[in-house]
Amino acid sequence: MADRLQVLVCLSNPRGLLLVNEILTREGFAVTTASTLGKFEDAMRLGGFRAIVTATEAIGAIREIMRLSVVNIRASIRGWVDAQTGDRSCLFDRAAFVAGLRSATGSGLVGPGTSR
């Protein structure tokens, strides 16, 4: 696990947390998860993280705790409206998400939603 990029994922949505963990693990990242800011603070004590994945509403609080690159997962969610039915839907762009994370960790491939 030492040669894999260490990422801390902090999402309050349990399903989102599980899916992001699965995606990143498949992509070769070493993933630690936290569902609350308290658990995030506990995980930060482990150290060694290269980036943090979270959602828009948690970025400010996370920035107060630690100064690592942050990837906003919401930047990889594409919404649209079906022109015929008016139904709203969304799609998670996995490729853009992983590219943004690789960019944030300095491992190549530029993507959306990253800040340092």
Side-chain angles (χ1 to χ4, degrees):
M1 192 148 112
D3 60 336
R4 298 184 335 173
L5 293 171
Q6 302 282 324
V7 177
L8 177 54
V9 179
C10 183
L11 296 171
S12 60
N13 179 304
R15 185 170 185 262
L17 194 61
L18 178 66
L19 292 173
V20 169
N21 184 21
E22 288 176 4
I23 290 168
L24 295 180
T25 300
R26 267 189 247 127
E27 290 290 330
F29 290 92
V31 181
T32 301
T33 60
S35 59
T36 65
L37 284 177
K39 290 179 181 178
F40 171 84
E41 289 175 324
D42 290 343
M44 286 305 300
R45 291 184 186 99
L46 299 172
F49 298 107
R50 295 281 302 274
I52 299 164
V53 173
T54 195
T56 307
E57 58 275 5
I59 291 174
I62 285 173
R63 284 268 182 238
E64 291 179 16
I65 298 167
M66 182 55 72
R67 284 297 211 198
L68 286 175
S69 295
V70 174
V71 176
N72 183 353
I73 194 168
R74 296 207 197 275
S76 298
I77 298 173
R78 311 287 180 239
W80 76 88
V81 176
D82 185 306
Q84 294 180 357
T85 65
D87 291 341
R88 294 182 180 271
S89 191
C90 63
L91 174 69
F92 181 64
D93 187 341
R94 291 179 187 200
F97 171 65
V98 171
L101 184 54
R102 289 194 191 285
S103 175
T105 61
S107 62
L109 298 176
V110 175
T114 60
S115 65
R116 293 181 193 234

